[in-house]
Each structure stands twice: as C-alpha cells, then as structure tokens.
Short mmCIF file of all heavy atoms in Angstrom, two decimals:
data_model
loop_
_atom_site.label_atom_id
_atom_site.label_comp_id
_atom_site.label_asym_id
_atom_site.label_seq_id
_atom_site.Cartn_x
_atom_site.Cartn_y
_atom_site.Cartn_z
N ALA A 1 -7.11 45.29 -8.25
CA ALA A 1 -6.49 46.39 -7.51
C ALA A 1 -7.49 47.51 -7.25
O ALA A 1 -8.31 47.83 -8.11
CB ALA A 1 -5.30 46.94 -8.29
N ARG A 2 -7.42 48.09 -6.05
CA ARG A 2 -8.27 49.22 -5.71
C ARG A 2 -7.82 50.47 -6.46
O ARG A 2 -8.64 51.25 -6.95
CB ARG A 2 -8.23 49.46 -4.21
CG ARG A 2 -8.98 50.69 -3.72
CD ARG A 2 -10.46 50.56 -3.94
NE ARG A 2 -11.03 49.48 -3.13
CZ ARG A 2 -12.32 49.18 -3.12
NH1 ARG A 2 -13.16 49.84 -3.90
NH2 ARG A 2 -12.76 48.18 -2.37
N GLU A 3 -6.51 50.69 -6.55
CA GLU A 3 -5.97 51.81 -7.31
C GLU A 3 -4.55 51.46 -7.73
O GLU A 3 -3.89 50.63 -7.12
CB GLU A 3 -6.01 53.12 -6.53
CG GLU A 3 -5.25 53.12 -5.23
CD GLU A 3 -5.34 54.47 -4.51
OE1 GLU A 3 -6.04 55.37 -4.99
OE2 GLU A 3 -4.70 54.61 -3.45
N VAL A 4 -4.09 52.10 -8.80
CA VAL A 4 -2.77 51.83 -9.35
C VAL A 4 -1.98 53.12 -9.42
O VAL A 4 -2.45 54.13 -9.96
CB VAL A 4 -2.86 51.21 -10.77
CG1 VAL A 4 -1.46 50.92 -11.31
CG2 VAL A 4 -3.71 49.96 -10.75
N TYR A 5 -0.76 53.10 -8.84
CA TYR A 5 0.12 54.26 -8.87
C TYR A 5 1.04 54.11 -10.09
O TYR A 5 1.84 53.18 -10.18
CB TYR A 5 0.97 54.34 -7.60
CG TYR A 5 0.15 54.25 -6.33
CD1 TYR A 5 0.54 53.41 -5.29
CD2 TYR A 5 -1.03 54.98 -6.18
CE1 TYR A 5 -0.21 53.32 -4.12
CE2 TYR A 5 -1.79 54.90 -5.02
CZ TYR A 5 -1.37 54.06 -4.00
OH TYR A 5 -2.12 53.98 -2.85
N THR A 6 0.92 55.01 -11.01
CA THR A 6 1.70 54.95 -12.25
C THR A 6 3.05 55.62 -12.06
O THR A 6 3.23 56.42 -11.14
CB THR A 6 0.95 55.63 -13.40
OG1 THR A 6 1.03 57.05 -13.22
CG2 THR A 6 -0.50 55.19 -13.46
N PRO A 7 4.00 55.35 -12.94
CA PRO A 7 5.30 56.03 -12.88
C PRO A 7 5.31 57.36 -13.63
O PRO A 7 6.35 57.78 -14.12
CB PRO A 7 6.24 55.02 -13.51
CG PRO A 7 5.41 54.35 -14.54
CD PRO A 7 4.02 54.28 -13.96
N VAL A 8 4.15 58.01 -13.71
CA VAL A 8 4.04 59.30 -14.39
C VAL A 8 3.82 60.37 -13.33
O VAL A 8 2.78 60.39 -12.66
CB VAL A 8 2.88 59.31 -15.41
CG1 VAL A 8 2.84 60.67 -16.12
CG2 VAL A 8 3.04 58.18 -16.41
N PHE A 9 4.80 61.22 -13.15
CA PHE A 9 4.74 62.24 -12.10
C PHE A 9 3.55 63.17 -12.33
O PHE A 9 3.33 63.66 -13.44
CB PHE A 9 6.03 63.05 -12.06
CG PHE A 9 7.25 62.23 -11.70
CD1 PHE A 9 8.28 62.04 -12.61
CD2 PHE A 9 7.36 61.63 -10.46
CE1 PHE A 9 9.39 61.28 -12.29
CE2 PHE A 9 8.47 60.86 -10.12
CZ PHE A 9 9.48 60.68 -11.04
N GLY A 10 2.80 63.40 -11.27
CA GLY A 10 1.67 64.31 -11.35
C GLY A 10 0.38 63.67 -11.80
O GLY A 10 -0.67 64.32 -11.81
N PHE A 11 0.42 62.38 -12.17
CA PHE A 11 -0.78 61.70 -12.63
C PHE A 11 -1.47 61.04 -11.44
O PHE A 11 -0.83 60.37 -10.63
CB PHE A 11 -0.42 60.63 -13.68
CG PHE A 11 -1.39 60.56 -14.82
CD1 PHE A 11 -1.23 61.36 -15.94
CD2 PHE A 11 -2.49 59.71 -14.77
CE1 PHE A 11 -2.13 61.30 -17.00
CE2 PHE A 11 -3.39 59.65 -15.81
CZ PHE A 11 -3.21 60.44 -16.93
N GLN A 12 -2.76 61.22 -11.34
CA GLN A 12 -3.51 60.67 -10.23
C GLN A 12 -3.59 59.14 -10.32
O GLN A 12 -3.55 58.58 -11.42
CB GLN A 12 -4.93 61.25 -10.21
CG GLN A 12 -4.99 62.74 -9.89
CD GLN A 12 -4.39 63.04 -8.52
OE1 GLN A 12 -4.76 62.41 -7.52
NE2 GLN A 12 -3.47 63.98 -8.48
N PRO A 13 -3.68 58.47 -9.18
CA PRO A 13 -3.83 57.02 -9.21
C PRO A 13 -5.02 56.59 -10.06
O PRO A 13 -6.06 57.24 -10.08
CB PRO A 13 -4.05 56.66 -7.73
CG PRO A 13 -3.37 57.76 -6.98
CD PRO A 13 -3.60 58.99 -7.80
N LEU A 14 -4.85 55.49 -10.79
CA LEU A 14 -5.90 54.99 -11.69
C LEU A 14 -6.80 54.02 -10.95
O LEU A 14 -6.35 53.23 -10.12
CB LEU A 14 -5.26 54.29 -12.89
CG LEU A 14 -4.20 55.08 -13.67
CD1 LEU A 14 -3.66 54.23 -14.82
CD2 LEU A 14 -4.78 56.38 -14.21
N LYS A 15 -8.07 54.05 -11.30
CA LYS A 15 -9.04 53.20 -10.62
C LYS A 15 -9.81 52.27 -11.55
O LYS A 15 -10.55 51.40 -11.10
CB LYS A 15 -10.03 54.06 -9.82
CG LYS A 15 -9.36 54.89 -8.72
CD LYS A 15 -10.38 55.67 -7.93
CE LYS A 15 -9.72 56.57 -6.88
NZ LYS A 15 -8.97 55.79 -5.89
N ASN A 16 -9.67 52.44 -12.88
CA ASN A 16 -10.37 51.56 -13.81
C ASN A 16 -9.64 51.52 -15.15
O ASN A 16 -8.73 52.30 -15.41
CB ASN A 16 -11.82 52.01 -14.01
CG ASN A 16 -11.93 53.45 -14.48
OD1 ASN A 16 -11.45 53.79 -15.57
ND2 ASN A 16 -12.58 54.29 -13.68
N MET A 17 -10.06 50.61 -16.00
CA MET A 17 -9.41 50.39 -17.29
C MET A 17 -9.49 51.61 -18.19
O MET A 17 -8.54 51.94 -18.92
CB MET A 17 -10.05 49.19 -18.00
CG MET A 17 -9.83 47.85 -17.31
SD MET A 17 -8.13 47.27 -17.47
CE MET A 17 -8.32 45.57 -16.90
N ASP A 18 -10.60 52.31 -18.18
CA ASP A 18 -10.76 53.48 -19.03
C ASP A 18 -9.72 54.53 -18.70
O ASP A 18 -9.15 55.18 -19.60
CB ASP A 18 -12.17 54.06 -18.90
CG ASP A 18 -13.23 53.17 -19.54
OD1 ASP A 18 -12.86 52.34 -20.39
OD2 ASP A 18 -14.41 53.30 -19.17
N GLU A 19 -9.47 54.73 -17.41
CA GLU A 19 -8.46 55.71 -17.00
C GLU A 19 -7.07 55.27 -17.45
O GLU A 19 -6.26 56.11 -17.85
CB GLU A 19 -8.50 55.89 -15.49
CG GLU A 19 -9.75 56.58 -14.97
CD GLU A 19 -9.76 56.72 -13.46
OE1 GLU A 19 -8.86 56.16 -12.79
OE2 GLU A 19 -10.67 57.40 -12.94
N ALA A 20 -6.79 53.98 -17.39
CA ALA A 20 -5.48 53.48 -17.82
C ALA A 20 -5.26 53.74 -19.30
O ALA A 20 -4.19 54.19 -19.72
CB ALA A 20 -5.37 51.99 -17.51
N ARG A 21 -6.27 53.47 -20.11
CA ARG A 21 -6.13 53.66 -21.55
C ARG A 21 -6.12 55.14 -21.93
O ARG A 21 -5.44 55.54 -22.88
CB ARG A 21 -7.26 52.91 -22.27
CG ARG A 21 -7.09 51.40 -22.13
CD ARG A 21 -8.37 50.62 -22.34
NE ARG A 21 -8.17 49.20 -22.02
CZ ARG A 21 -9.15 48.36 -21.76
NH1 ARG A 21 -10.42 48.77 -21.78
NH2 ARG A 21 -8.89 47.10 -21.48
N ALA A 22 -6.85 55.94 -21.16
CA ALA A 22 -6.84 57.38 -21.42
C ALA A 22 -5.47 57.97 -21.12
O ALA A 22 -5.02 58.89 -21.80
CB ALA A 22 -7.91 58.07 -20.57
N MET A 23 -4.77 57.43 -20.11
CA MET A 23 -3.43 57.92 -19.78
C MET A 23 -2.48 57.69 -20.95
O MET A 23 -1.66 58.54 -21.28
CB MET A 23 -2.90 57.22 -18.53
CG MET A 23 -1.51 57.69 -18.11
SD MET A 23 -0.81 56.73 -16.75
CE MET A 23 -0.61 55.14 -17.55
N GLU A 24 -2.60 56.53 -21.61
CA GLU A 24 -1.71 56.25 -22.74
C GLU A 24 -1.96 57.21 -23.90
O GLU A 24 -1.05 57.59 -24.61
CB GLU A 24 -1.90 54.81 -23.22
CG GLU A 24 -0.91 54.42 -24.31
CD GLU A 24 -1.08 52.98 -24.77
OE1 GLU A 24 -1.87 52.24 -24.15
OE2 GLU A 24 -0.41 52.59 -25.75
N ARG A 25 -3.21 57.61 -24.07
CA ARG A 25 -3.55 58.52 -25.17
C ARG A 25 -3.25 59.98 -24.84
O ARG A 25 -3.13 60.82 -25.74
CB ARG A 25 -5.05 58.39 -25.51
CG ARG A 25 -5.45 57.05 -26.08
CD ARG A 25 -6.86 57.10 -26.63
NE ARG A 25 -7.83 57.47 -25.60
CZ ARG A 25 -8.50 56.60 -24.85
NH1 ARG A 25 -8.29 55.30 -24.99
NH2 ARG A 25 -9.38 57.03 -23.95
N ALA A 26 -3.10 60.29 -23.55
CA ALA A 26 -2.92 61.68 -23.13
C ALA A 26 -1.58 62.23 -23.61
O ALA A 26 -0.60 61.50 -23.79
CB ALA A 26 -3.02 61.78 -21.61
N SER A 27 -1.56 63.53 -23.81
CA SER A 27 -0.32 64.21 -24.19
C SER A 27 0.50 64.47 -22.93
O SER A 27 0.20 65.37 -22.14
CB SER A 27 -0.64 65.54 -24.88
OG SER A 27 0.55 66.23 -25.21
N ILE A 28 1.52 63.65 -22.72
CA ILE A 28 2.33 63.72 -21.51
C ILE A 28 3.79 63.95 -21.88
O ILE A 28 4.34 63.23 -22.72
CB ILE A 28 2.21 62.42 -20.68
CG1 ILE A 28 0.76 62.21 -20.23
CG2 ILE A 28 3.14 62.44 -19.48
CD1 ILE A 28 0.54 60.87 -19.57
N ASP A 29 4.39 64.93 -21.28
CA ASP A 29 5.82 65.17 -21.49
C ASP A 29 6.60 63.96 -20.99
O ASP A 29 6.40 63.50 -19.86
CB ASP A 29 6.25 66.43 -20.72
CG ASP A 29 7.64 66.90 -21.11
OD1 ASP A 29 8.56 66.05 -21.19
OD2 ASP A 29 7.83 68.11 -21.31
#
C-alpha cells in the first residue's frame, strides 16, 4: 500500500511500518 487511512480521527495517513507501530504506542484518546 502507498498509504493507509486509519480509523483514528486526526491521525495522518501511514506510509511505513514504523509509523504504524508508533501509532499503537502513542497516547491517543
């Protein structure tokens, strides 16, 4: 995939694995 749209409002589309894993670790309401 070129980019992935997550179901997290306000989160930018992801472009690589590191960004995907960082999203899981991030403090998100």
Side-chain angles (χ1 to χ4, degrees):
R2 175 66 65 179
E3 59 180 3
V4 181
Y5 309 134
T6 75
V8 182
F9 296 115
F11 220 88
Q12 293 300 309
L14 307 179
K15 298 182 183 298
N16 56 62
M17 294 288 192
D18 289 340
E19 291 179 353
R21 292 159 187 161
M23 181 186 66
E24 185 179 353
R25 294 191 301 267
S27 178
I28 298 173
D29 191 314

